[in-house]
Amino acid sequence: MDSTPLASAEIASAIQQLESSNTPNKAQSYSQLLRKILDSSTPDTLAPNLIAYIESILGDTLGIVASRPLLSEFAECFKELKNPEVKVEVGQRAFEILHPRAGSFEEQDTAIKESVAQAYQQEEDYVSAARVLQSITLDSPQRRVSADYKAELWIRIVRCYLEEEDPTSANGYLNRVKNILPDVQNRETRVHFHLCQARILDSQRQFLDASSAYLAISLEPMVEEEERLTTLSEAIKCAVLAPAGPQRSRTLARLYKDDRATSTEEHAILEKIFLDRLLEPAEVKAFADKLKPHQLALTADGSTVLDKAILDHNLLAASRLYANIHIDALAGLLGVDRERAERDAAKMIEQGRLAGHIDQIEEVVFFGGEGTGEKLQAGQSQGDTTFGSALKKWDANVQGLAEEVERVTTMLQNEHPEFYEAHMVH
């Protein structure tokens, strides 16, 4: 066959001689030629020389039996190439030649595709890398593919799509891994699966679930210490971004009590949120600078997820500081207009994430009791809830006083029975 016009004259001549010769050691001569190409080619001629070589070994001169070991050797050398552009250029031509004959060279085709995908990743072209990996044949009668290899390959695809902020495509391949996960033996692959799952939950703004998943990975002994701290930081970020409420409070408590939390940059904001302290704008901005783009995406009302989370938190913090507050004062405290302050307070109360009620005539928000509110029972108003909470506290105080009087009376009876008989018994 004709060699590529861009190949160096020396290599083109050597290939032509090999193709026309009938020596019994032709395969060995091809191996020597491959080493010569790798050792002597210039950066400009390396790609065309390799293309000419692969076109020759997969041409009509050699049969499949002779071509297969030569292609395996080529795939091994191809993997070690440092220049990703050369890998992509040569690999694309190799795919074109191998496509109609892929069934005869499945292992070699797979090895070349893995190398090209790696090159695309080096160039940060993650979509192209994912597409190359997706073209690898996994269900074939020619070779048996283990569950571990399938899972590893699909996780590579998932990670490529996550780099492109495409959680939908990533989730499709993660579900494939999930279906075979019981058969996966490699513990590292299983850890990568859980990390990808956490990243997808994070990308889909399911922040509480993502925080729990990140925290679980941060406790995995086989993960490097630095990576564990990184995932712990991600767990804290997601917990901060989650909607305020009892579940978030439990997650924050677990993170705050983790001894490693003090080693993270997010510890200061975690402590303030856990202790229900108001957050200052400067603190929020410093935290926002560390977030990923999807964590700062705008919501339907034009605010970010972080804005909403901080507003909800400061509302809860205000409920710890005040028994009641005028809506205008609350708006000033939260740094929003009065309509937004009233709307968000009402929504949190309605969802059972904040105990209290709003007197719209007096324009005052009343905070009822400690902690977040319970959801209302049918037919029960917010005022009923607040009054009921106050009544329970009153009952508890009366009960405590009665028990204390009873305790003192018993002591008098035991220590001074005469005085007790004279003054206490009627």
Side-chain angles (χ1 to χ4, degrees), residues 95-96 195 200 208 211 234 249 283 325 346 350 406 412:
F95 299 159
E96 293 174 6
L195 178 58
I200 289 174
L208 276 176
S211 180
E234 295 300 323
S249 297
E283 295 173 304
I325 185 172
E350 181 184 1
E406 179 68 22
L412 282 172

Side-chain angles (χ1 to χ4, degrees), residues 330-347:
L330 179 62
L333 193 67
L334 300 176
V336 296
D337 59 61
R338 69 186 316 279
E339 289 77 14
R340 176 72 184 274
E342 182 179 0
R343 183 174 68 249
D344 279 58
K347 186 174 182 180

Side-chain angles (χ1 to χ4, degrees), residues 101-338:
R101 309 167 63 186
S104 302
F105 301 98
E106 282 189 359
E107 290 186 8
Q108 296 80 9
D109 180 63
T110 296
I112 293 172
K113 285 177 177 176
E114 288 178 348
S115 297
V116 172
Q118 183 63 37
Y120 274 126
Q121 287 178 272
Q122 287 178 260
E123 294 185 315
E124 298 185 358
D125 185 353
Y126 297 105
V127 171
S128 295
R131 287 172 180 166
V132 170
L133 292 172
Q134 287 171 249
S135 68
I136 293 176
T137 303
L138 295 178
D139 299 315
S140 168
Q142 306 297 326
R143 65 186 184 121
R144 185 175 179 274
V145 178
S146 67
D148 283 88
Y149 178 78
K150 288 181 180 180
E152 183 182 349
L153 178 69
W154 288 334
I155 285 174
R156 280 187 68 184
I157 296 173
V158 169
R159 296 173 80 171
C160 286
Y161 280 123
L162 286 174
E163 291 296 331
E164 290 292 328
E165 297 287 338
D166 184 359
T168 303
S169 298
N171 198 42
Y173 278 90
L174 193 74
N175 286 334
R176 296 191 186 192
V177 182
K178 190 183 298 183
N179 291 334
I180 64 169
L181 197 61
D183 300 323
V184 175
Q185 303 299 318
N186 190 316
R187 190 175 176 185
E188 184 177 352
T189 302
R190 297 174 74 92
V191 171
H192 282 306
F193 166 80
H194 292 298
L195 178 58
C196 289
Q197 192 171 46
R199 290 182 62 185
I200 289 174
L201 290 169
D202 185 354
S203 297
Q204 295 176 333
R205 301 182 191 173
Q206 299 179 41
F207 292 120
L208 276 176
D209 292 335
S211 180
S212 298
Y214 279 129
L215 179 59
I217 296 164
S218 76
L219 298 171
E220 178 58 54
M222 72 173 297
V223 178
E224 295 290 335
E225 180 65 26
E226 185 177 351
E227 286 296 317
R228 279 189 282 175
L229 280 177
T230 299
T231 53
L232 180 61
S233 292
E234 295 300 323
I236 294 172
K237 289 176 187 176
C238 288
V240 170
L241 293 169
Q247 189 177 350
R248 177 184 184 244
S249 297
R250 288 192 292 270
T251 301
L252 288 169
R254 187 178 179 190
L255 290 166
Y256 182 71
K257 293 173 184 177
D258 192 312
D259 294 336
R260 303 167 299 158
T262 55
S263 302
T264 65
E265 295 180 356
E266 295 76 20
H267 180 258
I269 196 169
L270 170 65
E271 184 173 46
K272 274 205 158 186
I273 292 176
F274 176 71
L275 298 177
D276 292 324
R277 296 172 182 167
L278 287 168
L279 292 170
E280 300 294 332
E283 295 173 304
V284 177
K285 184 182 183 306
F287 178 74
D289 291 340
K290 303 169 190 172
L291 298 180
K292 300 184 181 73
H294 73 268
Q295 294 172 329
L296 292 171
L298 296 178
T299 58
D301 61 3
S303 62
T304 66
V305 176
L306 177 61
D307 293 336
K308 185 70 173 67
I310 297 303
L311 184 62
D312 286 359
H313 165 75
N314 281 342
L315 263 169
L316 279 176
S319 74
R320 304 295 193 269
L321 295 172
Y322 302 95
N324 58 74
I325 185 172
H326 196 276
I327 291 174
D328 288 331
L330 179 62
L333 193 67
L334 300 176
V336 296
D337 59 61
R338 69 186 316 279

